[in-house]
Amino acid sequence: DSGVTQTPKHLITATGQRVTLRCSPRSGDLSVYWYQQSLDQGLQFLIQYYNGEERAKGNILERFSAQQFPDLHSELNLSSLELGDSALYFCASSPGTSDSTDTQYFGPGTRLTVL
Amino acid sequence: AQSVTQPDIHITVSEGASLELRCNYSYGATPYLFWYVQSPGQGLQLLLKYFSGDTLVQGIKGFEAEFKRSQSSFNLRKPSVHWSDAAEYFCAVVRISNSGYALNFGKGTSLLVTP
């Protein structure tokens, strides 16, 4: 158990809908990262937040957005969903003392299925 | 840009045999490298990491990896594989850009362990 929690574990929805994925980081960690894992793209970095502010951005679509709240939990919002958005979404957290060398601890993921 | 390549998509080894999973990196300076393992239905767990210093790195579960700058490699090894080692293994490098840091993952190597 990494100490990172993600809810829900599974999510099934229809095209065009909007969903919210939730992540609670390890106690004391200030950085939260979101990754998408799909069969064709592999593991792709989406976005990082540090203590409530956006720190780094990766291959995140404009239909996707995220935020980190004062209690440090984070939410990833996916809108106008398409079939291709079906994937496993991971949240990871790290202490935030050094982004380049900190270990990122991964949650169990949320499996999103878009029908 | 910093990237890693895992040349082997699948590897099959017999229980008790030795294991080597290959990872090649692309980066001019000394990269920050990681190996993660993903068991079915689980998140990613850090096995080991390399930033600098001793090029032979020891990790959890009996794994080790050796950084070889001349070969741009960071191969993961285990002297004797157990059936519980069957999983997906990912090599990753810290990607440094104007927008911050994130992990760039290889496509992964799926390990099958036979009796």
Side-chain angles (χ1 to χ4, degrees):
Chain A
D1 184 359
S2 66
V4 179
T5 60
Q6 290 187 248
T7 56
K9 195 164 186 170
H10 300 278
L11 200 48
I12 301 175
T13 188
T15 54
Q17 295 299 304
R18 172 190 170 96
V19 297
T20 297
L21 313 183
R22 182 187 169 102
C23 168
S24 293
R26 295 187 324 153
S27 177
D29 283 358
L30 298 178
S31 278
V32 169
Y33 304 77
W34 286 97
Y35 291 84
Q36 179 193 59
Q37 185 179 34
S38 61
L39 282 175
D40 51 345
Q41 298 291 326
L43 264 164
Q44 299 271 317
F45 167 69
L46 296 178
I47 197 163
Q48 178 204 0
Y49 277 81
Y50 172 79
N51 204 19
E53 296 198 0
E54 183 183 303
R55 174 72 66 95
K57 217 164 185 175
N59 301 322
I60 188 166
L61 300 172
E62 284 191 14
R63 300 183 285 108
F64 296 0
S65 65
Q67 54 184 328
Q68 187 179 26
F69 294 86
D71 67 351
L72 301 177
H73 91 271
S74 177
E75 292 181 357
L76 179 67
N77 300 295
L78 315 177
S79 61
S80 302
L81 285 167
E82 302 175 359
L83 296 177
D85 297 328
S86 295
L88 194 51
Y89 291 84
F90 285 111
C91 169
S93 75
S94 70
T97 51
S98 170
D99 286 345
S100 58
T101 57
D102 277 351
T103 294
Q104 292 183 28
Y105 296 88
F106 283 75
T110 293
R111 181 166 295 283
L112 173 67
T113 302
V114 182
L115 301 176
Chain B
Q2 301 85 2
S3 65
V4 291
T5 303
Q6 294 179 249
D8 304 304
I9 298 174
H10 300 283
I11 281 192
T12 300
V13 298
S14 301
E15 190 167 15
S18 64
L19 170 70
E20 183 168 32
L21 301 182
R22 296 184 292 163
C23 173
N24 297 108
Y25 68 86
S26 171
Y27 186 48
T30 299
Y32 298 156
L33 294 160
F34 301 76
W35 274 101
Y36 281 86
V37 61
Q38 182 180 20
S39 298
Q42 303 293 315
L44 285 81
Q45 181 183 23
L46 179 71
L47 290 174
L48 46 79
K49 58 186 179 183
Y50 173 78
F51 301 142
S52 64
D54 193 347
T55 56
L56 187 61
V57 181
Q58 300 299 320
I60 63 171
K61 304 185 179 187
F63 285 93
E64 66 177 28
E66 186 169 12
F67 174 71
K68 291 186 178 180
R69 185 186 300 279
S70 61
Q71 299 177 19
S72 298
S73 69
F74 186 57
N75 294 347
L76 182 71
R77 301 193 295 246
K78 187 168 185 177
S80 178
V81 168
H82 187 261
W83 64 267
S84 60
D85 293 323
E88 188 89 16
Y89 290 80
F90 292 93
C91 182
V93 64
V94 170
R95 182 190 74 190
I96 303 167
S97 68
N98 291 337
S99 61
Y101 302 91
L103 289 175
N104 264 5
F105 285 89
K107 294 291 189 184
T109 298
S110 179
L111 174 65
L112 178 65
V113 180
T114 59

